Amino acid sequence: MTTALEDVVALFEYATTRLLDRVAGLTDDEWAWEPVEDEPRVSIRWRLDHIAETLDEPRNREFLGAGPSGEAAPVPAASADAAVAAVRDAAARFAALARGLGDSASEPLGPVAGPYGADSRLSFVLHIVDELVHHAAEVALLRDLHAGWERAHRVAPH
Protein backbone atom coordinates (compact mmCIF):
# COMPACT_ATOMS: atom_id res chain seq x y z
CA MET A 1 0.00 0.00 0.00
CA THR A 2 1.29 3.46 -0.87
CA THR A 3 1.33 6.40 1.46
CA ALA A 4 -0.41 9.70 0.76
CA LEU A 5 3.02 11.25 0.16
CA GLU A 6 3.90 8.59 -2.43
CA ASP A 7 0.56 9.18 -4.16
CA VAL A 8 1.09 12.95 -4.26
CA VAL A 9 4.65 12.62 -5.56
CA ALA A 10 3.39 10.20 -8.23
CA LEU A 11 0.74 12.76 -9.22
CA PHE A 12 3.41 15.46 -9.40
CA GLU A 13 5.61 13.29 -11.59
CA TYR A 14 2.67 12.38 -13.83
CA ALA A 15 1.75 16.07 -14.26
CA THR A 16 5.39 16.87 -15.01
CA THR A 17 5.60 14.15 -17.65
CA ARG A 18 2.34 15.32 -19.20
CA LEU A 19 3.69 18.89 -19.43
CA LEU A 20 7.04 17.80 -20.84
CA ASP A 21 5.29 15.63 -23.44
CA ARG A 22 3.06 18.59 -24.33
CA VAL A 23 6.02 20.91 -24.94
CA ALA A 24 8.13 18.40 -26.85
CA GLY A 25 9.34 20.13 -29.99
CA LEU A 26 8.41 23.59 -28.72
CA THR A 27 9.87 26.20 -31.06
CA ASP A 28 11.36 29.51 -30.05
CA ASP A 29 8.57 31.24 -32.01
CA GLU A 30 5.87 29.47 -29.98
CA TRP A 31 7.75 30.06 -26.76
CA ALA A 32 8.15 33.80 -27.40
CA TRP A 33 4.69 34.45 -28.92
CA GLU A 34 2.60 36.98 -27.00
CA PRO A 35 -1.02 36.92 -28.15
CA VAL A 36 -1.80 40.04 -26.13
CA GLU A 37 0.32 43.04 -27.02
CA ASP A 38 2.46 44.38 -24.17
CA GLU A 39 1.43 41.56 -21.84
CA PRO A 40 4.40 39.20 -21.49
CA ARG A 41 2.64 37.19 -18.77
CA VAL A 42 0.34 35.85 -21.48
CA SER A 43 3.03 33.71 -23.06
CA ILE A 44 4.50 30.25 -22.88
CA ARG A 45 7.82 31.90 -22.04
CA TRP A 46 6.46 33.47 -18.87
CA ARG A 47 4.55 30.35 -17.86
CA LEU A 48 7.55 28.01 -18.19
CA ASP A 49 9.81 30.43 -16.33
CA HIS A 50 7.18 30.74 -13.60
CA ILE A 51 6.83 26.97 -13.28
CA ALA A 52 10.60 26.51 -12.98
CA GLU A 53 10.81 29.33 -10.45
CA THR A 54 7.90 27.96 -8.39
CA LEU A 55 9.46 24.50 -8.26
CA ASP A 56 12.88 25.87 -7.27
CA GLU A 57 11.84 28.59 -4.81
CA PRO A 58 14.08 28.69 -1.72
CA ARG A 59 10.95 28.61 0.44
CA ASN A 60 10.25 25.06 -0.77
CA ARG A 61 13.32 23.75 1.02
CA GLU A 62 12.63 25.94 4.07
CA PHE A 63 8.97 24.94 4.32
CA LEU A 64 9.79 21.26 3.88
CA GLY A 65 12.54 21.25 6.51
CA ALA A 66 15.54 20.91 4.21
CA GLY A 67 18.60 23.09 4.42
CA PRO A 68 19.50 25.65 1.77
CA SER A 69 20.46 24.11 -1.55
CA GLY A 70 23.33 26.45 -2.29
CA GLU A 71 22.16 26.63 -5.89
CA ALA A 72 21.51 29.93 -7.60
CA ALA A 73 17.92 30.94 -8.20
CA PRO A 74 16.65 30.14 -11.67
CA VAL A 75 16.99 32.88 -14.25
CA PRO A 76 14.64 33.46 -17.17
CA ALA A 77 15.40 31.03 -19.96
CA ALA A 78 16.94 32.27 -23.21
CA SER A 79 15.19 29.78 -25.50
CA ALA A 80 12.41 27.23 -25.67
CA ASP A 81 14.87 24.37 -25.16
CA ALA A 82 16.40 26.09 -22.14
CA ALA A 83 12.96 26.74 -20.66
CA VAL A 84 11.87 23.13 -21.04
CA ALA A 85 15.18 21.94 -19.53
CA ALA A 86 14.75 24.33 -16.59
CA VAL A 87 11.27 22.96 -15.87
CA ARG A 88 12.46 19.35 -16.20
CA ASP A 89 15.40 19.92 -13.84
CA ALA A 90 13.41 21.93 -11.29
CA ALA A 91 10.68 19.27 -11.28
CA ALA A 92 13.23 16.53 -10.62
CA ARG A 93 14.66 18.50 -7.69
CA PHE A 94 11.21 19.20 -6.22
CA ALA A 95 10.12 15.56 -6.57
CA ALA A 96 13.27 14.42 -4.76
CA LEU A 97 12.68 17.02 -2.04
CA ALA A 98 9.07 15.92 -1.57
CA ARG A 99 9.91 12.21 -1.70
CA GLY A 100 12.51 12.80 1.00
CA LEU A 101 9.89 13.96 3.49
CA GLY A 102 9.05 10.42 4.54
CA ASP A 103 7.35 10.36 7.93
CA SER A 104 7.71 14.14 8.35
CA ALA A 105 5.09 14.79 5.63
CA SER A 106 2.37 15.18 8.23
CA GLU A 107 4.38 17.62 10.35
CA PRO A 108 3.36 21.29 10.36
CA LEU A 109 5.33 23.73 8.25
CA GLY A 110 6.10 25.72 11.37
CA PRO A 111 6.87 29.40 11.97
CA VAL A 112 8.91 29.71 8.76
CA ALA A 113 5.62 29.53 6.82
CA GLY A 114 3.99 32.45 8.63
CA PRO A 115 0.19 32.22 8.50
CA TYR A 116 0.46 28.75 6.92
CA GLY A 117 2.60 27.36 9.73
CA ALA A 118 -0.09 24.99 11.02
CA ASP A 119 -0.52 23.42 7.57
CA SER A 120 1.26 20.14 6.95
CA ARG A 121 4.26 19.71 4.73
CA LEU A 122 2.15 17.43 2.55
CA SER A 123 -0.43 20.19 2.08
CA PHE A 124 2.36 22.45 0.83
CA VAL A 125 3.46 19.77 -1.65
CA LEU A 126 -0.16 19.58 -2.83
CA HIS A 127 -0.14 23.36 -3.30
CA ILE A 128 2.92 23.05 -5.54
CA VAL A 129 1.22 20.24 -7.50
CA ASP A 130 -1.77 22.56 -8.04
CA GLU A 131 0.55 25.32 -9.28
CA LEU A 132 2.20 22.91 -11.71
CA VAL A 133 -1.09 21.51 -13.03
CA HIS A 134 -2.82 24.81 -13.63
CA HIS A 135 0.17 26.55 -15.21
CA ALA A 136 0.85 23.49 -17.37
CA ALA A 137 -2.75 23.70 -18.60
CA GLU A 138 -2.16 27.34 -19.51
CA VAL A 139 0.97 26.36 -21.44
CA ALA A 140 -1.02 23.75 -23.35
CA LEU A 141 -3.77 26.25 -24.14
CA LEU A 142 -1.30 28.86 -25.34
CA ARG A 143 0.39 26.28 -27.53
CA ASP A 144 -2.97 25.35 -29.06
CA LEU A 145 -3.84 29.02 -29.57
CA HIS A 146 -0.49 29.60 -31.26
CA ALA A 147 -1.15 26.70 -33.67
CA GLY A 148 -4.55 28.20 -34.55
CA TRP A 149 -3.03 31.65 -34.95
CA GLU A 150 -0.36 30.22 -37.26
CA ARG A 151 -3.01 28.52 -39.42
CA ALA A 152 -5.10 31.69 -39.59
CA HIS A 153 -2.12 33.86 -40.56
CA ARG A 154 -0.56 31.56 -43.10
CA VAL A 155 -0.40 33.17 -46.51
CA ALA A 156 -2.25 31.08 -49.07
CA PRO A 157 -0.06 30.04 -52.03
CA HIS A 158 -0.83 31.78 -55.31
Side-chain angles (χ1 to χ4, degrees), residues 29-114:
D29 286 341
E30 290 174 287
W31 169 75
W33 180 64
E34 293 180 12
V36 179
E37 191 173 327
D38 297 323
E39 189 52 57
R41 290 179 56 152
V42 182
S43 67
I44 294 172
R45 176 195 315 230
W46 187 89
R47 292 288 183 277
L48 291 178
D49 282 344
H50 181 64
I51 291 169
E53 180 182 58
T54 298
L55 299 177
D56 259 349
E57 280 184 291
R59 78 171 180 168
N60 296 352
R61 295 185 62 79
E62 293 172 25
F63 282 19
L64 298 179
S69 72
E71 293 185 30
V75 296
S79 69
D81 287 345
V84 171
V87 168
R88 183 191 62 242
D89 296 347
R93 284 188 292 276
F94 185 80
L97 177 63
R99 195 178 295 106
L101 287 173
D103 294 338
S104 74
S106 62
E107 291 179 11
L109 295 170
V112 70

Side-chain angles (χ1 to χ4, degrees), residues 134-153:
H134 86 258
H135 286 303
E138 294 164 345
V139 167
L141 173 63
L142 284 165
R143 193 158 195 209
D144 290 345
L145 288 172
H146 182 269
W149 182 86
E150 281 282 311
R151 281 190 301 275
H153 290 87

